[in-house]
């Protein structure tokens, strides 16, 4: 599966509002999930007759493509999640396989959403206000990763997606108790789409014709980014200097995120 | 309903993992929803037989308590959302009232989640890695706001929740077409909880006994916050100076968010 490929537009995944903002290519969808510090995972915990609400949990998530030792081809890209072995979401694939409503499905149906917030868009009228953002919404089937090598691959991937290089620079290998206490889920992607707004404020012709009002109402974009601060060592820390891989991750990431939010703030948007 | 009150712990809302992180008081839940730049709203778009997936949309959301003119008491706090009149979520209360599965419910069942990401927690072992965060998960019934005064109240609230004072400093009142093209939903809260992690890294005794490893592995917190940059005026902007209410919102908010993420980074956590 090439990164240049696109996810099929299904009724479930097709963006209907502001169609020019929709993106379906794999690389964009995956990068939003990997870059967002937190993903939101939605699922129906119980049969709807008992409780009609889907629920949402904030989770760490990252995309990965695991190749079995000796295999020639990489697997399709999936989304890895992890959690305590006894938590409700981690037990979902097991509990739902006994549930009539999902019987026969290839896993527990979940939705994974990730959103990067890039700024506030201040138009002349509140009704043209908006945000700059990049969001991905993925629907897929979650299953517990039982292959021990794939589980190790996923746990390293999730750790390094938080801070690149962190796994090898922490206390590894994990103990048997750590591995037993942690469940990894892989969400096999059924459909996916992304939506991106990254441009200047858009104003209506009628408002632009009103010079008196335009002299009162400031219009533009206030860019925004997640910015990491200086590392604060734990009381128990024995490493005198903050390691270089942490510094370069902080500085490089802050610079890139700020630059992106500023560049798109003055881009021209689609014609009104 | 007093802000000091708590949401009831129902099976749906009770936090089971890391119980000391759970918070149920109204003020905390509401403040997380109002402070998060983006909320995630989950719902089941179609009967599950046709499609088993809940979906998630990133949305602006804020809490409000509307008092009808002449009424003596404020209404309970609800969550306001808005969107294009023809969008799927905005039509949900209407479409679901015709649907057998939700017939008889006081609105469309939705879940609203908001998460503030406050830092990365680097423990000695990857299995004690975590994030500092404040998250709220609310379940409730969404209905279209038909009262025109409540709709106006909610639209001003949503705009001012983005940038305080913005409504009065933009082109208002709205035109008839703007109001007709926008639907406001109010989510009446059925259950709610918040979860907060705001403290230093927690390490296992066995790891703390390993001095050789501790001299290699840096442990601590890298604080994080949403930081707004300098406003970038639109090409059409005619206001020479960025207004004071925008500057003070940017500077005050950045300072407060950064300070919070730094203060909690060195707080002592619960004993291991």
């Amino acid at each position: 599966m090439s990164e240049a490929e696109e996810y099929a537009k299904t009724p479930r995944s097709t963006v209907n509002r502001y169609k020019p903002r929709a993106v379906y290519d794999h690389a964009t969808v995956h990068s939003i999930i990997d870059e967002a510090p937190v993903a939101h995972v939605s699922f129906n915990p119980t049969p709807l007759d008992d409780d009609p609400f889907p629920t949402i949990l904030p989770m760490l998530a990252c995309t990965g493509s695991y190749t079995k030792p000796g295999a020639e081809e990489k697997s399709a890209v999936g989304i890895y999640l992890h959690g305590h072995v006894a938590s409700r979401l981690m037990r979902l694939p097991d509990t739902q396989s006994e549930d009539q409503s999902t019987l026969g499905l290839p896993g527990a149906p979940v939705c994974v959403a990730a959103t990067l917030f890039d700024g506030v868009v201040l138009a002349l009228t509140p009704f043209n206000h908006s945000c700059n953002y990049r969001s991905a919404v993925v629907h897929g089937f979650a299953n517990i990763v039982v292959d021990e090598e794939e589980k190790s691959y996923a746990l390293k991937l999730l750790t390094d997606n938080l801070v690149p290089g962190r796994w090898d620079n922490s206390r590894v290998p994990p103990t048997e108790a750590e591995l037993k206490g942690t469940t990894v889920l892989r969400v096999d992607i059924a459909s996916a789409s992304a939506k991106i707004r990254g441009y200047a404020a858009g104003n209506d012709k009628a408002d632009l014709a009103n010079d008196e009002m335009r002299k009162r109402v400031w219009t533009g974009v206030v860019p925004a980014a997640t910015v990491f601060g200086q590392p604060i060592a734990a009381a128990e820390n024995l490493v005198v200097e903050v390691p270089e891989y942490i510094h370069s991750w902080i500085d490089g990431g802050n610079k890139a995120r700020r630059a992106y939010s500023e560049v798109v703030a003055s881009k021209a948007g689609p014609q009104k």
Side-chain angles (χ1 to χ4, degrees), chain A residues 8-269:
Chain A
K9 291 184 204 181
T10 69
R12 189 193 305 124
S13 67
T14 302
V15 172
N16 294 312
R17 288 296 118 207
Y18 300 109
K19 286 176 195 278
R21 298 182 187 171
V23 188
Y24 298 89
D25 71 280
H26 291 183
T28 303
V29 170
H30 303 164
S31 74
I32 293 170
I33 290 164
D34 293 342
E35 277 185 42
V38 177
H40 287 82
V41 180
S42 174
F43 56 101
N44 286 301
T46 46
L48 293 195
D49 312 345
D50 294 345
D51 193 62
F53 293 102
T55 201
I56 298 180
L57 292 180
M59 304 283 293
L60 298 179
C62 73
T63 63
S65 170
Y66 176 67
T67 311
K68 276 204 166 64
E72 285 190 9
E73 283 198 29
K74 280 191 161 197
S75 65
V77 171
I79 300 175
Y80 289 103
L81 311 170
H82 80 304
H84 191 279
V85 69
S87 70
R88 196 171 48 161
L89 176 57
M90 292 300 130
R91 287 187 294 114
L92 194 70
D94 274 351
T95 53
Q96 292 214 338
S97 69
E98 293 152 23
D99 171 5
Q100 287 295 330
S101 69
T102 53
L103 203 66
L105 295 179
V110 301
C111 178
V112 182
T115 306
L116 295 155
F117 172 70
D118 299 319
V120 169
V121 178
L122 301 175
L124 295 166
T125 164
F127 290 75
N128 285 334
H129 278 49
S130 188
C131 293
N132 279 338
Y133 63 90
R134 289 161 285 162
S135 81
V137 177
V138 175
H139 297 91
F141 293 102
N143 283 289
I144 295 169
V145 172
V146 287
D147 182 297
E148 285 185 21
E149 292 197 44
E150 183 177 1
K151 185 174 173 181
S152 294
Y153 160 84
L155 289 167
K156 180 174 191 297
L157 199 70
L158 281 158
T159 308
D160 288 343
N161 191 58
L162 209 54
V163 181
R166 179 62 185 174
W167 182 269
D168 289 334
N169 284 290
S170 63
R171 193 272 290 149
V172 283
T175 66
E176 207 173 312
E178 287 175 335
L179 284 170
K180 272 197 177 165
T182 306
T183 295
V184 171
L185 298 184
R186 189 188 63 240
V187 178
D188 294 319
I189 299 176
S191 59
S193 59
K195 207 166 170 183
I196 297 176
R197 191 201 189 281
Y199 42 87
N203 287 300
D204 291 335
K205 278 182 188 158
D207 284 330
L208 291 174
N210 185 343
D211 269 14
E212 179 279 318
M213 179 269 289
R214 284 173 65 194
K215 283 176 191 157
R216 273 191 300 116
V217 180
W218 187 88
T219 177
V221 170
V222 184
T226 298
V227 172
F228 287 95
Q230 286 308 305
I232 295 170
E236 306 103 42
N237 175 61
L238 294 184
V239 179
V240 184
E241 302 253 325
V242 176
E244 178 51 31
Y245 72 94
I246 295 179
H247 269 310
S248 63
W249 158 69
I250 294 172
D251 298 343
N254 285 350
K255 206 174 155 185
R257 285 185 296 272
R258 281 183 150 138
Y260 174 84
S261 69
E262 286 165 13
V263 165
V264 297
S266 44
K267 270 197 179 174

